[in-house]
């Protein structure tokens, strides 16, 4: 009898309790296109720990106490909506919510800083965000061309620099982490960015962190992070076809028009096709597929034949192989890339999703390391400095994520990345990288606290004859690490962030290296639109297989190994102000940051006589002491509401000033060998290896940079202009002067290398790009895109000329 009475008591009390509650339900919809929004959040303003999120169909269901309630609804990329409802006991109230696109850039949601969703203005670090419109409207075929417009970021011959944090190393050992959806995309052996491998047709947005970010992103994030976030399907399927065709203009005098001089009277051209499709299948399977096909004749012609050299001189100079001849057809570039993403959301287990991302590419290209000379030969390669490459890349990324009802998130992301590079002059290599990261996140809503922790394992293996100086062509680098970060918000105006990472590295049988890394930051909202931040971070970068073991040569020049190369470390400090503004319908922000970065054991690529038994002269990666970079970074971003169909404007403008100096200018890093047997070598320091030692300025840096991109929408037209300014590169390697003298003295047998006169005579660089597009209805758009409008002859690093004016017509079909 007692159990029955107890059961009746439970029913009565439950019924009485339920009579004091009511139900709020409905659908959340994107007001601009009437699509439902899965994953939108609805929360109580009085207690943000209480709320719910919409399902795959954009529907929500929320049980509330009777009485009046104020709620807020939000979704990534759209403005929030705050509303008030009255809940009566036992009643069901239906309310559909329509969210409009945001015009306030301060509401942009990002994930890179803390690996969880945050508003841009609340970050403790500097970050720039690139939206898909800029990528698409500039007819971007490889993502680095869009990144050129980011304030404080420079791409020098595929090598990314943030705020002058690194010099030039032919793209090897990047100090900036390149990640796609949080997984690194640098080659395992060389740490080189593979820009053309990134699917530009499927990008939600790009987030660029400026400053040391090794706590969350590991070794390569010494100067910052470039995180490319892929787009997933919405409720309606989307298909896009983007085709463009164009040509390179004839360079200005005095540069030789190589393609006409070779009997070809047509301008070299290029063509590109991007295809993209995304859809949701049966309400719970996300499917995305994309492809890219590209053909490019290029703007740099093949080198002329090398001068004749007698065999006895070849033997004396250790020149074994003859320098190959290439034709215009050999210089043609072809690329084909296909990728797809699958994500399944479990029906029976709420919060569980898993899937796989796959990408593969074939790329026939060439690498030109030096021009023929600095006048007529700017657009020709130097004999022996041009290499042919056939590249095959493939990765498969299985993942699984689970979000519990109490806010605990589990994530396991993995990658297998295979690369096969067939390169002329015995430089071929192949490798495979295994990557896995388990991450645990917990959002304590009642405490306004986010916990992020994870463990990472990364194993890279490489097979290449050019790394055989290690004792074997097979080389392996192992990296494991663990990290923790806490983000806490106080009084809704103060964000505090702190993190720790512990790194372990081992290359082949060398002694292992461990490194603890810390970071901390704070962000204070002073007024409604004013945010002040301060941050401190440490960086750590372990040398790559290439930097330690590469051994190769071409002609009389070589590249030499340095198995004793040490890791480089950094400390970064920043204080910044972000101020939101509104002028009419135009809203945006102005960001000002002062930064201080210090580097120890800086790794640079130095020229000298390292081993005369292999090659007379050449390059070697060397630790060059300590350095410091400090400066100021300003950026302004603005936009108007997308709901205005007649007129709109978007702008991204920035100025960066840096003061990069060597702190150990007189220290001897290394001593070269003498060409004379038994004679002493030459000690190398910053002072005697630099062309200009004024104020001890570091090599390959631009002290002043100004960038701007402004686009106007006028009815069905959009018109955009881009501008980039770089001050003169004050200091370069004295090696270029030595190479000039060496080839001049032996000009009977060598083409003279010329570089320093061009560097001295070009005091600054300023480049204009322009574009105009017209929308032919909702599905069709045609554009004319012109880069380097004034057809300037310019170079961002010694002995490598940049492209002359390019003009292309772009057609985009979207449905």
């Amino acid at each position: 009898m007692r159990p029955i009475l107890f059961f009746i008591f439970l029913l009565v009390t439950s019924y009485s309790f339920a009579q004091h509650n009511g139900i709020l339900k409905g659908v959340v919809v994107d007001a601009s296109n009437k699509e439902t929004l899965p994953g939108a959040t609805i929360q109580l303003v009085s207690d943000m720990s209480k709320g719910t999120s919409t399902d795959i169909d954009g529907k929500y269901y929320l049980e509330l106490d009777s009485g009046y309630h104020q709620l807020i609804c939000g979704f990534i990329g759209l403005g929030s909506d705050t509303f008030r409802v009255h809940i009566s006991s036992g009643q069901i109230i239906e309310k559909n919510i329509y969210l409009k696109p945001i015009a306030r850039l301060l509401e942009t949601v990002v994930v890179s800083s803390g690996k969880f969703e945050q508003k841009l203005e609340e970050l403790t670090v500097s970050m720039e965000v690139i939206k898909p419109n800029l990528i698409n409207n500039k007819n971007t075929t490889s993502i680095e061309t869009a990144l050129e417009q980011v304030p404080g970021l420079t791409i020098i011959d595929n090598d990314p620099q943030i705020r002058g944090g690194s010099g030039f190393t032919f793209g090897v050992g990047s100090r900036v982490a390149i990640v796609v959806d949080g997984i690194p995309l640098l080659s395992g052996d060389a740490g080189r960015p593979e820009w053309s491998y990134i699917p530009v047709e499927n990008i939600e947005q790009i987030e660029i962190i400026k400053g040391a970010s090794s706590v969350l992103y590991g070794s390569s994030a010494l100067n910052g992070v470039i995180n490319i976030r892929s787009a997933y399907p919405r409720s309606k399927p989307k298909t896009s076809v983007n085709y463009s065709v164009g040509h390179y203009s004839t360079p200005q005098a005095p540069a030789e028009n190589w393609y006409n001089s070779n009997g070809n009277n047509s301008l070299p051209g290029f063509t590109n096709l991007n295809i993209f499709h995304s859809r949701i299948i049966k309400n719970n399977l996300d499917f995305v597929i994309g492809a890219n096909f590209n053909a490019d004749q290029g703007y740099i012609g093949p080198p002329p034949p090398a001068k004749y050299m007698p065999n006895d001189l070849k033997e004396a100079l250790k020149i074994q192989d003859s320098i190959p001849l290439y034709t215009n057809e050999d210089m043609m570039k072809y690329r084909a890339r296909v990728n797809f993403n699958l994500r399944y959301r479990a029906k029976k287990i709420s919060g569980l999703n898993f899937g796989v991302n796959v990408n593969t590419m074939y790329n026939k290209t060439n690498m030109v390391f030096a021009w023929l000379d600095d006048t007529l030969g700017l657009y020709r390669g130097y004999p022996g400095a041009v290499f042919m490459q056939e590249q095959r890349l493939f990765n498969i990324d299985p993942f699984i994520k689970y979000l519990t009802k109490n806010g605990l998130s589990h994530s396991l992301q993995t990658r297998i990345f295979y690369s096969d590079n067939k390169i002329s002059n015995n430089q071929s290599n192949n490798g495979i990288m295994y990557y896995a990261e388990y991450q645990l996140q917990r959002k304590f809503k009642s405490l306004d606290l986010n916990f992020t922790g994870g463990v990472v394992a990364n194993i890279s293996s490489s097979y290449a004859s050019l790394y055989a100086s290690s004792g074997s062509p097979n080389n392996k680098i192992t990296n494991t690490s663990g990290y923790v970060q806490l983000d806490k918000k106080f009084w809704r105006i103060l964000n505090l962030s702190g993190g720790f990472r512990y790194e372990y590295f081992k290359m082949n049988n060398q002694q292992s290296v461990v490194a603890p890394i810390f970071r901390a930051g704070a962000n204070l909202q002073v007024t409604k639109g004013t945010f002040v931040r301060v941050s401190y971070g440490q960086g750590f970068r372990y040398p790559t297989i290439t930097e330690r073991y590469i051994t190769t040569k071409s002609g009389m020049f070589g590249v030499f190994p340095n198995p004793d190369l040490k890791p480089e470390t950094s400390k970064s400090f920043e204080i910044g102000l972000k101020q939101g503004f509104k002028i009419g319908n135009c809203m945006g922000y102005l960001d000002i940051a002062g930064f201080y970065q210090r580097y120890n054991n800086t790794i640079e690529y130095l020229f000298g006589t390292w081993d005369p038994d292999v090659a007379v002269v050449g390059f070697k990666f060397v630790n060059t002491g300590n350095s410091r970079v400090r400066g100021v970074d300003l950026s302004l971003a603005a936009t108007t509401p997308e709901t205005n169909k007649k007129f709109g404007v978007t702008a991204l403008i920035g100025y960066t000033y840096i003061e990069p100096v060597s702190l150990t200018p007189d220290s001897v890093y290394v001593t070269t060998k003498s060409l004379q047997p038994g004679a002493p070598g030459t000690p190398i320091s910053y002072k005697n290896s630099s062309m200009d030692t004024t104020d001890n300025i570091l090599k390959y840096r631009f002290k002043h940079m100004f960038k701007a991109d402004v686009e106007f929408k006028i009815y069905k037209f959009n018109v955009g202009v881009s501008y980039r300014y770089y001050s003169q590169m004050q200091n370069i390697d004295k090696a270029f002067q030595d190479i000039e003298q060496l080839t001049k003295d032996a000009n009977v047998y060598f083409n003279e290398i010329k570089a320093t006169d061009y560097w001295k005579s070009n005091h600054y660089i300023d480049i204009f790009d322009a574009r105009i597009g017209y929308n032919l209805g909702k599905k069709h758009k045609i554009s004319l895109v012109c880069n380097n409008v004034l057809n300037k002859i310019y170079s961002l690093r010694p002995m490598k000329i940049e492209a002359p004016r390019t003009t292309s017509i772009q057609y985009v079909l979207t449905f």
Side-chain angles (χ1 to χ4, degrees), residues 97-167:
I97 306 168
Y98 295 85
L99 300 182
K100 298 179 181 180
I102 61 172
R104 289 175 290 176
L105 291 176
L106 288 182
E107 291 186 355
T108 300
V109 175
V110 297
V111 299
S112 298
S113 175
K115 292 200 173 184
F116 67 96
E117 292 179 0
Q118 295 174 279
K119 290 184 178 180
L120 181 62
E121 70 271 23
E122 296 179 351
L123 303 183
T124 62
V125 296
S126 287
M127 179 183 287
E128 303 289 350
V129 177
I130 300 295
K131 293 291 187 178
N133 280 347
L134 178 63
I135 299 170
N136 297 330
N137 293 344
K138 286 180 69 69
N139 192 25
T140 302
T141 60
S142 187
I143 196 61
E144 76 273 18
T145 57
L147 293 172
E148 289 175 343
Q149 288 302 136
V150 175
L153 172 63
T154 308
I155 309 290
I156 299 181
D157 200 16
N158 292 328
D159 195 1
Q161 297 181 0
I162 292 181
R163 292 173 171 172
S166 61

Side-chain angles (χ1 to χ4, degrees), residues 214-327:
S214 291
V215 165
L216 289 182
Y217 291 95
S219 173
S220 57
L222 195 71
N223 299 147
V225 178
I226 299 173
N227 186 16
I228 295 95
R229 292 176 56 188
S230 301
Y232 274 96
R234 298 289 181 89
S235 58
K236 293 182 180 179
K238 178 182 178 181
T239 301
S240 175
V241 179
N242 184 332
Y243 175 74
S244 63
V245 61
H247 66 82
Y248 298 94
S249 294
T250 301
Q252 290 186 10
E256 180 185 12
N257 186 353
W258 62 266
Y259 31 88
N260 282 350
S261 67
N262 281 309
N264 183 359
N265 293 320
S266 63
L267 296 172
F270 52 87
T271 185
N272 188 80
L273 174 65
N274 289 338
I275 302 172
F276 170 80
H277 177 75
S278 68
R279 67 187 307 119
I280 299 175
I281 302 173
K282 294 185 177 180
N283 293 329
N284 61 339
L285 177 62
D286 296 335
F287 173 70
V288 178
I289 187 169
N292 168 253
F293 304 95
N294 182 277
D296 188 350
Q297 288 181 279
Y299 63 93
I300 296 180
K307 292 184 177 182
Y308 170 77
M309 184 180 298
N311 290 332
D312 57 342
L313 182 58
K314 284 185 178 180
E315 184 177 346
L317 295 177
K318 311 299 180 183
I319 298 175
Q320 300 172 354
D321 301 324
S322 60
I323 295 175
L325 289 175
Y326 298 117
T327 65

